[in-house]
Amino acid sequence: MAEEDVLVGSQHQQHRNFVSEERPVLENRMRGRPVQVVVAKDDHGFELDEQALEGILLNEAVRDKHVVVVSVAGAFRKGKSFLLGFFLRYLESEGAYDWIGDECSPLGGFSWRGGSERDTTGILMWSEVFVVSTPSGEKVAVVLLDTQGAFDSESTVKDCATVFALSTMVSSVQVYNLSQNVQEDDLQHLQLFTEYGRLAMEDGTEKPFQKLQFLVRDWSFPYEAAYGVEGGIKILERRLQISDRQHPELQQLRRHIRSCFNEIGCFLMPHPGLNVATNPLFDGRLAEIESEFRSQLKILVPLLLSPENLVRKEIDGQKVTCRELLEYFKVRLWFVVSRRATSW
């Protein structure tokens, strides 16, 4: 895969590009809260909380601005909500040089905790939409989504496919959060979950989804591929390579993934440390996180959220506003649920 197809960007950005009001960079209490906009029901159905979604996207300050939607999806209990806490720190600090915070501040934001049981269900949206000024001078609205983890003991394959498909449809960047490596079953799950994308292409969209960012957590082989973007490119090229030696089914899987996304990237993250993984009282303090993990966070987060790297949500090649995203949410949830009922 060509290097230019990977999400790349500067590690730093001028503070002036963010246009929200001043706030302490190191303050732990965040403005906003996680709001459930897609509700997982007991019968394994899903419904949209239109009132909650309208309360966020129809806010007068953002409703007519072009929107950027960054979603994080993947298996349950693999640190998706924890990662989003750092996304929020970056946006709330307005991209300040010391956005990552001090050593002793607990990590707030989307609900997260250690342990083996799931914590997030359905799809959650952060209630504050961040207004960011891009290098062109346009002010865009940035929305963050957290999703129900896949493959927990209470979710069916249909449930996992529904959440992943919907979050990918409405996002401009989908972060595919993986553990330790990009394995063949990860690609197979991605193919399954994006099958709705193939159906969406029948509506006239050449490629139904915009950007896919593989994020490999706890990468243990930096001697084979370095942490960060460079190593990520190397691993991704290997995993998505098509050769004559492969079974036709494996070749088709890789063609399918490439056909669904306009851009695909990969980033390799180190392990955050045993204390993070094993201490039940860990609350996100940087002092307890390995320095290499922190260093890579300082690269990853601006890679996705700095003003020059923001990806506006598009539908049929046209940028959409928050107001239009609301309607798209309604249409796409109906689309996914109806396909689920007739095709599965």
Side-chain angles (χ1 to χ4, degrees):
M1 178 166 295
E3 185 169 344
E4 59 267 24
D5 286 340
V6 182
L7 300 175
V8 296
S10 171
Q11 298 178 27
H12 305 293
Q13 178 60 26
Q14 294 296 323
H15 183 77
R16 65 175 182 274
N17 284 329
F18 291 82
V19 296
S20 53
E21 67 186 51
E22 287 288 324
R23 67 187 68 86
V25 171
L26 305 181
E27 176 61 58
N28 183 52
R29 292 188 301 275
M30 292 181 171
R31 298 186 311 177
R33 60 186 178 86
V35 174
Q36 190 151 34
V37 294
V38 175
V39 180
K41 300 191 294 184
D42 291 339
D43 63 357
H44 295 276
F46 291 89
E47 64 181 15
L48 188 67
D49 189 333
E50 293 188 23
Q51 185 175 2
L53 197 57
E54 289 172 356
I56 298 171
L57 297 179
L58 294 186
N59 184 294
E60 186 176 359
V62 300
R63 63 191 179 195
D64 295 317
K65 288 180 170 60
H66 288 146
V67 65
V68 174
V69 185
V70 179
S71 169
V72 182
F76 82 113
R77 309 309 302 149
K78 300 300 180 183
K80 298 185 299 299
S81 303
F82 176 70
L83 177 70
L84 280 160
F86 289 103
F87 287 9
L88 285 167
R89 273 194 182 179
Y90 182 83
L91 291 168
E92 289 219 327
S93 73
E94 304 178 354
Y97 179 76
D98 57 350
W99 66 267
I100 200 166
D102 66 33
E103 293 279 309
C104 297
S105 293
L107 183 66
F110 289 91
S111 175
W112 66 274
R113 58 182 172 82
S116 60
E117 300 301 321
R118 74 175 185 178
D119 195 40
T120 302
T121 61
I123 297 178
L124 282 72
M125 179 179 290
W126 192 252
S127 64
E128 180 184 0
V129 178
F130 298 90
V131 178
V132 179
S133 181
T134 66
S136 68
E138 180 188 10
K139 295 178 181 179
V140 298
V142 181
V143 171
L144 296 182
L145 297 181
D146 191 10
T147 65
Q148 174 177 321
F151 308 119
D152 64 86
S153 61
E154 299 176 48
S155 301
T156 67
V157 173
K158 285 185 182 182
D159 296 340
C160 300
T162 299
V163 170
F164 193 101
L166 181 61
S167 63
T168 308
M169 284 180 174
V170 301
S171 64
S172 52
V173 178
Q174 177 72 288
V175 179
Y176 188 22
N177 192 69
L178 302 175
S179 176
Q180 298 184 324
N181 210 332
V182 181
Q183 302 186 134
E184 194 64 25
D185 60 341
D186 297 319
L187 299 181
Q188 291 168 350
H189 295 151
L190 183 61
Q191 180 186 34
L192 171 66
F193 295 162
T194 55
E195 185 62 18
Y196 290 120
R198 182 187 63 80
L199 299 173
M201 291 167 69
E202 297 174 2
D203 295 340
T205 305
E206 183 179 350
K207 291 189 176 182
F209 306 139
Q210 287 180 255
K211 295 196 175 184
L212 175 69
Q213 181 74 34
F214 285 89
L215 178 61
V216 180
R217 309 288 287 272
D218 305 345
W219 177 250
S220 300
F221 313 106
Y223 50 88
E224 291 184 2
Y227 298 129
V229 172
E230 183 178 348
I233 295 172
K234 186 176 181 180
I235 293 301
L236 193 61
E237 287 178 341
R238 290 180 187 172
R239 300 298 185 264
L240 295 184
Q241 184 177 20
I242 298 173
S243 71
D244 294 336
R245 297 189 304 274
Q246 289 172 327
H247 189 281
E249 181 179 300
L250 301 180
Q251 295 179 16
Q252 179 55 35
L253 181 153
R254 285 156 174 78
R255 292 191 184 97
H256 170 87
I257 292 172
R258 292 180 184 274
S259 72
C260 282
F261 295 92
N262 288 330
E263 297 185 26
I264 303 177
C266 184
F267 194 99
L268 305 180
M269 284 291 291
H271 195 285
L274 286 178
N275 193 53
V276 174
T278 61
N279 182 3
L281 300 179
F282 174 69
D283 60 4
R285 296 168 193 259
L286 290 173
E288 300 179 47
I289 300 174
E290 292 289 338
S291 61
E292 185 63 46
F293 185 90
R294 288 182 281 170
S295 296
Q296 294 302 322
L297 264 182
K298 292 178 182 179
I299 300 172
L300 170 68
V301 177
L303 180 71
L304 299 173
L305 296 175
S306 67
E308 71 272 19
N309 290 331
L310 292 174
V311 180
R312 297 162 183 79
K313 176 62 185 171
E314 295 184 1
I315 301 173
D316 294 329
Q318 301 297 314
K319 298 180 179 66
V320 301
T321 64
C322 286
R323 188 197 302 268
E324 292 165 335
L325 180 66
L326 171 64
E327 297 305 315
Y328 191 67
F329 243 107
K330 297 176 184 178
V331 170
R332 284 311 177 191
L333 180 61
W334 174 87
F335 176 87
V336 171
V337 171
S338 63
R339 287 292 186 182
R340 166 189 170 120
T342 59
S343 302
W344 292 67

